[in-house]
Amino acid sequence: MNAVVFYILAALIVAASAATVGATRLRDAAAALTLAVTAIAILTGAAGAPLVAVAQFAVPLLCAGAGLLLIRRGGYRGLAGPARAVARMRWAGAGVAAAFGALLITVFITSNDGWHAGSGTASLITVLHYRTPYALVIAVILAGAGVAMSLLIGRTGDDERATDEVLAARRRREERVQRRREDRERAKRRRGEETPVEAEA
Amino acid sequence: MSVGPGHYAALSAIVFTLGIYGVLTRSNLVGVLMALILLFAAPVIALVGFTHTGMGGSQPPLGDAFALFAVVGSGVEGAVGIAIALLVWRRTGSSDVDELVEVEG
């Protein structure tokens, strides 16, 4: 790959990644993540792995799209609503991340030229089909199990629906009682009588 | 100047570090999920870079297979993560990770 293209994409990826973890608003973070994932997919494709590039682009965005659809249509708007962007332990987190970064850089410096030199002579389809079919099968099983697991975790069960209905009914009852009390007090005030709140005062 | 495995490794390390920082410092569950997706994308850069740079030996690009596997793992993690986030929101009405420390049973 051309070094200039690599450096441009690398700069874009690093900037977008930093924006993803640093943006205050989740909307901005999502936009930055989309940019980062797209840039990584382009880099992967330019490096010579088009199938991985397509997967790298499609899978996270498919996931994010499904999540966004659920949040918007399923009544979970508050989940992505305004919240504190940064946790309490941000300095500890920064320290741990810096330690990991230092560890990786140290490993890279000490490994010098001892990198694995790959080839890229065979296509990924060939590898998955003839050399490592088990990898493809395991990936498919993993994807199926993951989707099934997420549906199992995220579903709304009968017991949960019943509990929600009970809670909603209680909330409606309390609101009705409160409204009646306020109506009574308003009526008494109109008649010139002393309300219980005023009597207590 | 040519691009070698070290370049990909360095880029992967930076993205990985940023991902860890995001996972540890984000307060919102959705924000943590976004950082996790970033964290999972980092090894893909290294795996693909290692596979497609170098001297061109006779080995097949197994790194691509691993990378594809990592991408699938990332998708699964995202799906399960979203499901957990929705469940937590339904139960607690909060998306703040710090508040989950106080959740019981």
Side-chain angles (χ1 to χ4, degrees):
Chain A
M1 186 202 291
N2 189 340
V4 177
V5 175
F6 175 83
Y7 283 119
I8 290 171
L9 284 172
L12 195 63
I13 290 167
V14 171
S17 304
T20 304
V21 298
T24 318
R25 290 171 61 206
L26 278 176
R27 191 185 292 263
D28 298 339
L33 179 66
T34 308
L35 184 64
V37 165
T38 308
I40 291 171
I42 292 170
L43 180 73
T44 311
L51 193 63
V52 179
V54 170
Q56 175 63 42
F57 180 74
V59 172
L61 293 186
L62 207 68
C63 240
L68 200 69
L69 206 70
L70 265 173
I71 287 171
R72 284 201 166 175
R73 295 198 175 171
Y76 298 101
R77 275 179 186 275
L79 186 62
R84 285 182 308 108
V86 181
R88 285 177 206 142
M89 303 280 283
R90 65 177 181 277
W91 294 114
V96 172
F100 263 103
L103 180 70
L104 285 169
I105 295 295
T106 309
V107 170
F108 293 155
I109 290 169
T110 52
S111 58
N112 202 11
D113 288 330
W115 301 105
H116 164 73
S119 68
T121 48
S123 74
L124 180 57
I125 299 281
T126 313
V127 172
L128 289 174
H129 193 217
Y130 294 109
R131 299 290 186 92
T132 59
Y134 54 86
L136 187 62
V137 173
I138 292 172
V140 170
I141 291 172
L142 183 68
V147 170
M149 194 63 74
S150 56
L151 288 175
L152 194 70
I153 295 169
R155 84 194 192 290
T156 311
D158 290 340
D159 54 339
E160 206 167 16
R161 263 198 296 274
T163 310
D164 285 346
E165 279 170 16
V166 169
L167 286 175
R170 186 187 297 168
R171 202 167 46 243
R172 277 196 300 273
R173 203 166 48 242
E174 284 172 359
E175 282 172 4
R176 209 163 41 234
V177 169
Q178 175 72 20
R179 210 167 35 245
R180 277 182 193 157
R181 191 181 300 133
E182 286 172 2
D183 287 346
R184 269 201 305 273
E185 285 181 8
R186 207 174 296 126
K188 276 185 181 176
R189 209 175 291 125
R190 211 176 294 135
R191 288 199 301 268
E193 292 176 20
E194 201 176 44
T195 63
V197 178
E198 286 167 353
E200 278 177 22
Chain B
M1 192 172 69
S2 62
V3 178
H7 291 79
Y8 286 96
L11 178 61
S12 170
I14 293 168
V15 174
F16 189 79
T17 306
L18 285 169
I20 286 188
Y21 175 76
V23 169
L24 292 176
T25 59
R26 277 284 180 183
S27 168
N28 191 291
L29 269 172
V30 180
V32 173
L33 271 177
M34 287 180 191
L36 270 174
I37 288 174
L38 207 58
L39 197 66
F40 270 74
V44 174
I45 298 171
L47 284 167
V48 170
F50 290 169
T51 307
H52 292 276
T53 52
M55 283 78 77
S58 59
Q59 293 169 351
L62 288 174
D64 281 3
F66 288 134
L68 192 70
F69 205 79
V71 172
V72 172
S74 160
V76 169
E77 168 267 323
V80 174
I82 289 168
I84 290 173
L86 296 184
L87 185 67
V88 167
W89 172 256
R90 276 211 304 270
R91 294 284 162 92
T92 64
S94 169
S95 59
D96 196 327
V97 178
D98 288 334
E99 285 180 17
L100 297 181
V101 178
E102 292 149 20
V103 174
E104 291 178 3

